[in-house]
Amino acid sequence: MNLCIYRIISLNICAHRLINSIFVPETTDRRWFMVMEKITEAASLYDELEKKTTREMLEELKVENGKVILAVQRVIPRIEELVDRAVDRMRQGGRLFYLGAGTSGRLGVLDASEIPPTFGMSPTCVVGLIAGGDAALRAPVENAEDDARQGWKDLVQHRVNARDTVVGIAASGTTPYVTGALHAARKHGILTAVITGNPGSPAAAEADIPIEVIVGPEYVTGSSRMKSGTGQKLVLNMISTSIMIKLGRVKGNRMVHMQPSNRKLVDRGTRMLVEALGIPGEQARRLLLIHGSVQQAIEQFRGE
């Protein structure tokens, strides 16, 4: 055999083994690697982007973004299952964990961080974890996502238990930080789900509820911060909002448990109290500031 060909074959075999060892927990069926379709890395439907006018790019991006809504529509039954099962656990004291790396991790942390001010829940109710820790929110942390054990270690630091729900977020569906955490969580009897942009991924194989938001190739090839990230954000909004409504954190269509942490929110809460109780604005404002939320102010005013 030609020596060059032999070396190429040897290198390919070594690379295959290395990738398997990095991306797949030892207990995961590794046959996925040979059959998985990586749509998130498929070539863009557009080319010579640098030659396009601003209007051409924006029109094409609009077309591609429109595909995200359709992809989310197709996974609503899966989202529904996750919401209902997570709510059952949270009513028993369970929590919701988001876990991801890079853009996916940042989106999870963003959604989790909005829960306390919007719905008045404890910051420990919905927790966002990102590979590399909080430093990775602003800058990449080298190799953080490649540690298949660290995700579970991060969960353990929060004393994760069988009442909790762990939602992995990984556009590729191959992120070791996410896949390893899902594998360990499931092994410990914890409900798991994953939001991914590829079908049949190893992360999906480790999840009780795989949510595969297939948005197609990115406008800039492989840039999953685009359509894949948009799809993840939409799904996260749907999950957290639905859960909070079912947990009683919304009345009618109002955020009655929001934290009045700035002038805009104080004014909004005051108007809500004026409407609900029929009292003067200044009295409503005082009640809100004393009791800390619209709901608490209403209950105290009515003696409930």
Side-chain angles (χ1 to χ4, degrees), residues 158-178:
H158 289 269
R159 298 184 179 180
V160 66
N161 61 73
R163 292 178 298 179
D164 297 327
T165 302
V166 174
V167 179
I169 314 166
S172 67
T174 61
T175 309
Y177 177 81
V178 173

Side-chain angles (χ1 to χ4, degrees), residues 21-58:
S21 66
I22 291 174
F23 284 105
V24 187
E26 292 183 358
T27 52
T28 299
D29 188 341
R30 301 185 180 195
R31 288 175 295 178
W32 72 269
F33 186 81
M34 303 300 295
V35 300
M36 179 185 168
E37 182 182 8
K38 274 202 167 184
I39 295 174
T40 55
E41 296 185 15
S44 172
L45 302 178
Y46 308 84
D47 203 355
E48 298 186 328
L49 303 183
E50 70 278 10
K51 297 180 181 180
K52 297 180 182 294
T53 66
T54 302
R55 175 57 66 88
E56 286 173 333
M57 287 188 288
L58 295 176

Side-chain angles (χ1 to χ4, degrees), residues 34-271:
M34 303 300 295
V35 300
M36 179 185 168
E37 182 182 8
K38 274 202 167 184
I39 295 174
T40 55
E41 296 185 15
S44 172
L45 302 178
Y46 308 84
D47 203 355
E48 298 186 328
L49 303 183
E50 70 278 10
K51 297 180 181 180
K52 297 180 182 294
T53 66
T54 302
R55 175 57 66 88
E56 286 173 333
M57 287 188 288
L58 295 176
E59 291 290 349
E60 290 170 353
L61 285 164
K62 178 198 69 177
V63 170
E64 291 304 304
N65 285 336
K67 298 176 182 178
V68 178
I69 300 297
L70 297 176
V72 172
Q73 173 67 40
R74 289 191 288 268
V75 297
I76 284 180
R78 291 286 195 180
I79 301 172
E80 177 186 20
E81 180 184 359
L82 171 58
V83 168
D84 287 342
R85 294 179 68 177
V87 166
D88 287 343
R89 284 162 173 73
M90 294 178 81
R91 284 174 175 159
Q92 300 172 40
R95 298 160 294 169
L96 175 64
F97 287 92
Y98 294 138
L99 188 106
T103 298
S104 299
R106 294 182 190 104
L107 290 171
V109 172
L110 171 62
D111 195 73
S113 67
E114 293 289 351
I115 300 305
T118 306
F119 301 106
M121 297 291 277
S122 166
T124 62
C125 178
V126 181
V127 179
L129 301 175
I130 182 171
D134 286 354
L137 292 172
R138 292 187 177 273
V141 176
E142 187 175 359
N143 300 324
E145 71 174 55
D146 295 332
D147 190 338
R149 296 180 178 85
Q150 188 59 49
W152 176 247
K153 290 179 181 178
D154 289 348
L155 287 168
V156 168
Q157 287 184 348
H158 289 269
R159 298 184 179 180
V160 66
N161 61 73
R163 292 178 298 179
D164 297 327
T165 302
V166 174
V167 179
I169 314 166
S172 67
T174 61
T175 309
Y177 177 81
V178 173
T179 304
L182 292 175
H183 174 80
R186 202 175 186 187
K187 188 176 179 180
H188 285 79
I190 299 166
L191 176 65
T192 59
V194 69
I195 306 168
T196 182
N198 286 319
S201 69
E206 298 291 354
D208 298 306
I209 308 172
I211 302 174
E212 298 172 327
V213 187
I214 312 302
V215 297
E218 299 288 359
Y219 186 71
V220 175
T221 298
S223 182
S224 56
R225 58 172 284 276
M226 301 181 74
K227 288 192 299 182
S228 294
T230 301
Q232 291 171 346
K233 184 66 171 75
L234 290 174
V235 172
L236 290 169
N237 280 348
M238 296 167 78
I239 291 170
S240 58
T241 303
S242 299
I243 287 175
M244 290 299 118
I245 292 171
K246 291 179 75 70
L247 290 176
R249 310 308 288 184
V250 172
K251 183 70 172 179
N253 56 19
R254 304 296 181 90
M255 299 181 291
V256 293
H257 288 277
M258 70 177 183
Q259 297 176 356
S261 55
N262 56 50
R263 183 180 299 174
K264 177 188 71 176
L265 296 180
V266 170
D267 290 345
R268 181 186 298 171
T270 298
R271 292 194 301 272

